[in-house]
Amino acid sequence: MTSDQPEDRPRAERADLVRGTTALALPFGVVAGLGLLTVLLPPYERPWWVAGLAALCLAASAAVFVASRRRGGTTWLAPLAAYLLFPYAGLINDAAGAARGGSSSGMTVLLLLPVLWLALTGTPRQLWVASGLSVVTLALPVVVVGPPDYVVGDWRRTVMWAAVAAIVAPVLQRIVLDLARQTRRARTATARVERLFEDAPHGVALLDSTGTVVRVNISMAVIVGLDPPDMVGHHLGAFETPGEDRIADHLGRVAQVARGESMETECRLRDSGGNDVHVALSSTVVPDPELGRMTMVNVVDISDRRRYLDRLAHLADHDVLTGLANRRRFESELERHLERCQRLGESGALLLLDLDNFKQVNDTLGHNAGDQLLITIAGLLRRSIRSTDVVARLGGDEFAVLLPDADQDGARRVAELVVERIAGHAATLDGVARRVTASVGAVTFRAASEHASDVLALADMTMYDAKEAGRNQVTVLSEGDLRGPRAAARLHWQSRIEEALEHDRFELHLQPIMDIATGRISSAEVLLRLREDDELVPPSRFVYIAERAGLMPQVDAWVVDHSLELLARLRRDHDPDFRLEVNLSGHSIGKPEIERAIIDALARHEVDPAALILEITETAAVADVALARDFAARMTSLGCAFALDDFGAGFGSFYYLKHLFFDYVKIDGEFVAHVHESSVDRTIMRSIVGIARDLGKRTVAEFVSDPAILRVCEEEGVDLAQGYLVGRPAAYDAFVAEFLAPSAPASSRAV
């Protein structure tokens, strides 16, 4: 009979019970032994050989059972051990009945032993055989011996035992079979889950409700370079790159989602070798009846993908040959700086550089030699500027340098240094390469503003002036003579700023910021003005001079003190939850006097630090990220909030958002002013809002000047709006009357 036949399939499903384990046989043997011992006790009427024969049957049954266990598998020996118990039960029943003086014996119950054994371990056919043997065991003495020891009434007992063996035992067998099948399926399912968990190609971690690792698979341990037991008992965030808390934020959001939903994020883990591993997390809440609310986290190593994406982003903005910024990146940086000049005043300079006689190198020595020379000159340019400056290859042998904070003299010095270094390097070369020099045109953004012309075009024309003047020279477009010498103008403005600080000639105006969800004016940005007779001078005309003269920390300290005075009045008289945004110059970041001014003013005016929002532009942050981070950390611990201005103007924005403490993200006006008309701007706004929301930060849209723009901001989930549609900057009294007074029109208070 093969294993595919019906009789063997149930037997296979019963696994170890089919053969009958020693643990299962032991209670049957104990009961059988007690039966034999009972009949040996006096009085004993039958000959000794009856008990001896019963003992021999019992011994034979035990021997057959042991033999079947040793042979393994299911053979004819397995049911034979049970069949031998029938003559044993018949002999014991006869001996016990004779001792009591009749055929009725309590030992008849021993017939249950083989029937139950085969119900648990046998096949249906074997159970039917057992039913027949039980009938034979009871009927044979009646037929052979007869009255008076066995009367006809014993047939009733025979019929009932036959019914038990034929009807009840198969039912019991089916129950045992179902239990065995369910146990087997449960074990198989458990084993399958274990294999899926352990053999998963990606990392899997099981966390308790606190985020502590309960179990991890091998792939997860490999990612962090540890053995699985070394990770158990630690919070998953302990394996994150120091200084980041994305895992804690992720687990907090996972705890809030509905059962069965998953939450995804990306973060970096620090492996045992000190290397950062970029991973993608996908987490799901898994209820457990014993351990409670568990979280299963799937961890995928995406380091290669991140490197690939970073490489693509780098190639999109950088020249393949030299590694410098390309024209696309340079034009983007130039546009950002022009927008900054519009807000804060013109500063910085642009250098345009073209190599003289470079074509002869390509024609004579070949393009490989020309490429190598370009790579070398790119290195010279990098070493000639600061890390905050931007150098780019615009194409061919033309380069551009953006000096965001340089004045005219500074631009001249940098240009002359570049010309000198290129000429010095060429002097070490042979042949026509010795003739390579550089012609540089330099234009300050102030000069470009005076000429009302494109700064790049002016730099290009100035560069050609240098070439026409004999090459290997620097030509600087002078700023207008109508304003007199630059040094005299700077000294004049410096004295005016110092006088304004001394005599309180600065004024603060407030521009409203509206909570889009409620339509309320819940905060405002403080804007600085300089009072000159009847004229209010905007900061674009004096801030850059204050920065260069080292006066900006004093100006910012004045602004902070007077802003908190206004804030105290606003919260006391009009709105106890009102907040003010105060801009800080990059020259004030990290200055001890600014920190003291903020702390003293908060205490003096008794203002809740949470009502003060310190706003820093990207230009201020990029000057020294570490310094800005430390300053933000100290002010945050004090209770102040921070806003990052001009967000989205470049890839650097995401770097600052990651490494600095910010509560508000002010979307750059470039992406807001035309968001109702441009699908690209709307997509960028949606992305910025999504990133900010995931990081737990609020967003502010600047340059909201049209109802259509406001509608788009509301649809895309922007939190706050600022611009001429919401309200123009106004002095304190006018601001309160228009936006906070109870009598203010509804249209003014909720646009």
Side-chain angles (χ1 to χ4, degrees):
M1 185 178 294
T2 64
S3 60
D4 292 332
Q5 291 178 310
E7 187 172 312
D8 281 344
R9 282 198 294 271
R11 197 184 318 170
E13 290 179 348
R14 284 193 293 270
D16 290 339
L17 285 180
V18 171
R19 295 173 53 199
T21 63
T22 303
L24 180 63
L26 183 60
F28 283 83
V30 170
V31 173
L34 288 175
L36 180 61
L37 179 62
T38 301
V39 300
L40 291 176
L41 298 176
Y44 189 75
E45 300 293 335
R46 287 289 189 251
W48 63 269
W49 57 266
V50 175
L53 189 57
L56 183 61
C57 291
L58 182 60
S61 176
V64 171
F65 171 76
V66 172
S68 68
R69 290 292 299 173
R70 289 183 176 179
R71 292 189 62 177
T74 56
T75 65
W76 59 274
L77 292 175
L80 181 59
Y83 295 156
L84 289 174
L85 290 177
F86 284 107
Y88 162 78
L91 292 169
I92 294 297
N93 183 57
D94 179 72
R100 298 178 64 248
S103 61
S104 177
S105 170
M107 293 297 107
T108 308
V109 74
L110 289 178
L111 286 174
L112 284 176
L113 291 179
V115 174
L116 290 177
W117 178 264
L118 290 174
L120 293 175
T121 65
T123 65
R125 179 182 298 175
Q126 293 166 357
L127 192 58
W128 281 109
V129 172
S131 299
L133 289 176
S134 65
V135 173
V136 171
T137 301
L138 293 173
L140 187 61
V142 177
V143 175
V144 176
V145 179
D149 292 334
Y150 294 93
V151 296
V152 177
D154 289 326
W155 284 103
R156 290 191 295 271
R157 188 168 71 251
T158 301
V159 171
M160 292 309 300
W161 277 105
V164 169
I167 299 175
V168 177
V171 173
L172 176 61
Q173 188 179 58
R174 285 195 296 271
I175 293 174
V176 172
L177 181 61
D178 289 341
L179 289 175
R181 184 182 297 113
Q182 293 174 12
T183 301
R184 182 183 181 89
R185 289 175 178 173
R187 289 177 179 175
T188 302
T190 301
R192 185 180 297 114
V193 171
E194 289 293 323
R195 288 196 302 272
L196 289 174
F197 185 89
E198 293 295 340
D199 299 337
H202 57 268
V204 183
L206 194 62
L207 314 178
D208 64 14
S209 58
T210 66
T212 301
V213 176
V214 176
R215 186 180 178 189
V216 297
N217 66 349
I218 295 296
S219 298
M220 179 64 192
V222 169
I223 290 176
V224 296
L226 297 172
D227 292 330
D230 295 335
M231 297 185 66
V232 174
H234 296 279
H235 193 280
L236 185 62
F239 305 100
E240 191 174 16
T241 299
E244 298 187 5
D245 57 354
R246 294 182 62 85
I247 289 181
D249 177 70
H250 172 71
L251 294 179
R253 290 186 288 114
V254 170
Q256 300 174 3
V257 301
R259 176 180 175 182
E261 296 183 7
S262 61
M263 186 74 68
E264 299 179 355
T265 191
E266 293 184 6
C267 66
R268 292 187 302 166
L269 301 180
R270 178 67 57 84
D271 65 16
S272 59
N275 303 310
D276 288 338
V277 182
H278 290 272
V279 296
L281 306 183
S282 178
S283 302
T284 305
V285 174
V286 182
D288 187 280
E290 295 182 0
L291 301 178
R293 186 183 178 94
M294 307 291 290
T295 302
M296 185 170 68
V297 184
N298 292 290
V299 184
V300 180
D301 187 344
I302 60 170
S303 298
D304 291 340
R305 186 178 75 182
R306 282 297 302 268
R307 283 191 290 268
Y308 177 72
L309 293 176
D310 291 344
R311 178 61 177 166
L312 286 180
H314 181 82
L315 291 176
D317 287 336
H318 291 79
D319 177 57
V320 177
L321 177 64
T322 63
L324 299 177
N326 57 17
R327 178 180 287 273
R328 174 180 175 275
R329 172 68 179 276
F330 184 79
E331 290 179 348
S332 175
E333 294 290 340
L334 179 60
E335 185 66 23
R336 288 179 57 199
H337 186 73
L338 288 172
E339 293 172 359
R340 175 173 175 258
C341 290
Q342 291 176 357
R343 294 192 302 271
L344 304 178
E346 291 82 2
S347 63
L350 175 65
L351 309 182
L352 204 62
L353 177 151
D354 189 81
L355 299 181
D356 306 319
N357 305 314
F358 180 75
K359 186 175 183 299
Q360 297 179 18
V361 176
N362 279 336
D363 294 343
T364 305
L365 302 179
H367 287 278
N368 288 338
D371 289 347
Q372 188 59 46
L373 182 59
L374 289 175
I375 294 172
T376 303
I377 290 176
L380 292 175
L381 291 174
R382 285 195 192 95
R383 294 190 292 273
S384 301
I385 62 174
R386 299 177 301 179
S387 59
T388 55
D389 301 331
V390 180
V391 57
R393 182 189 177 201
L394 301 185
D397 59 346
E398 188 176 42
F399 298 84
V401 180
L402 175 63
L403 307 173
D405 299 313
D407 56 16
Q408 183 167 288
D409 292 337
R412 182 186 297 276
R413 287 193 298 271
V414 173
E416 290 175 348
L417 177 62
V418 168
V419 169
E420 178 184 348
R421 288 186 172 179
I422 292 177
H425 174 73
T428 65
L429 305 177
D430 297 326
V432 295
R434 295 176 58 90
R435 300 177 56 191
V436 174
T437 57
S439 296
V440 180
V443 178
T444 64
F445 285 87
R446 178 174 291 277
S449 176
E450 293 170 355
H451 287 76
S453 183
D454 179 74
V455 65
L456 195 58
L458 287 173
D460 185 65
M461 290 185 290
T462 306
M463 182 264 295
Y464 276 101
D465 288 344
K467 283 184 175 291
E468 292 176 359
R471 302 188 178 187
N472 194 30
Q473 293 190 27
V474 173
T475 299
V476 179
L477 180 65
S478 299
E479 297 176 357
D481 294 333
L482 295 178
R483 295 183 294 114
R486 183 175 177 81
R490 184 187 303 169
L491 290 174
H492 173 66
W493 270 106
Q494 181 175 340
S495 64
R496 292 169 67 181
I497 294 171
E498 291 173 344
E499 186 178 354
L501 285 170
E502 183 178 355
H503 299 287
D504 267 352
R505 291 183 180 173
F506 286 118
E507 292 185 11
L508 298 180
H509 284 202
L510 305 178
Q511 184 172 22
I513 299 175
M514 183 183 72
D515 188 319
I516 296 179
T518 64
R520 293 181 61 251
I521 302 301
S522 57
S523 59
E525 180 177 357
V526 177
L527 302 177
L528 182 64
R529 300 289 186 265
L530 174 61
R531 172 67 67 178
E532 286 283 342
D533 298 329
D534 295 332
E535 178 188 6
L536 282 177
V537 180
S540 59
R541 293 178 56 185
F542 60 83
V543 164
Y544 75 97
I545 295 177
E547 291 178 340
R548 293 193 178 95
L551 296 174
M552 207 58 215
Q554 299 177 45
V555 174
D556 280 342
W558 186 95
V559 171
V560 166
D561 182 60
H562 287 73
S563 296
L564 288 175
E565 180 184 0
L566 295 181
L567 181 57
R569 292 169 58 190
L570 287 168
R571 291 169 68 88
R572 181 181 62 249
D573 301 337
H574 302 284
D575 185 350
D577 297 322
F578 202 82
R579 293 185 170 194
L580 280 187
E581 287 188 11
V582 179
N583 289 280
L584 292 181
S585 166
H587 294 259
S588 300
I589 300 300
K591 298 290 185 181
E593 55 266 35
I594 289 298
E595 295 187 32
R596 285 196 301 271
I598 294 174
I599 296 173
D600 293 344
L602 287 171
R604 182 167 54 258
H605 300 296
E606 298 181 349
V607 174
D608 182 2
L612 175 62
I613 304 173
L614 300 174
E615 183 176 315
I616 302 179
T617 63
E618 289 187 5
T619 305
V622 76
D624 192 330
V625 174
L627 182 66
R629 178 183 176 85
D630 293 342
F631 172 73
R634 290 192 295 273
M635 292 297 99
T636 300
S637 64
L638 187 64
C640 301
F642 271 83
L644 176 61
D645 197 12
D646 302 336
F647 183 82
F651 278 104
S653 302
F654 299 94
Y655 178 82
Y656 307 141
L657 192 61
K658 175 180 179 180
H659 288 281
L660 298 177
F661 295 91
F662 287 100
D663 305 279
Y664 295 85
V665 174
K666 304 196 75 170
I667 304 174
D668 189 83
E670 170 69 18
F671 306 114
V672 178
H674 303 287
V675 72
H676 60 306
E677 303 170 335
S678 170
S679 60
V680 174
D681 288 350
R682 183 162 185 163
T683 300
I684 293 174
M685 173 183 283
R686 184 182 305 122
S687 300
I688 294 174
V689 171
I691 292 171
R693 184 184 295 115
D694 288 344
L695 295 178
K697 304 179 187 302
R698 305 194 74 193
T699 48
V700 183
E702 300 179 298
F703 293 10
V704 177
S705 57
D706 188 275
I709 297 176
L710 182 61
R711 283 195 299 271
V712 172
C713 294
E714 182 177 6
E715 292 170 0
E716 296 302 335
V718 178
D719 298 301
L720 304 166
Q722 179 180 0
Y724 284 172
L725 177 67
V726 178
R728 294 176 178 268
Y732 178 85
D733 292 337
F735 176 86
V736 169
E738 184 174 359
F739 299 107
L740 300 182
S743 59
S747 58
S748 298
R749 300 181 65 190
V751 179

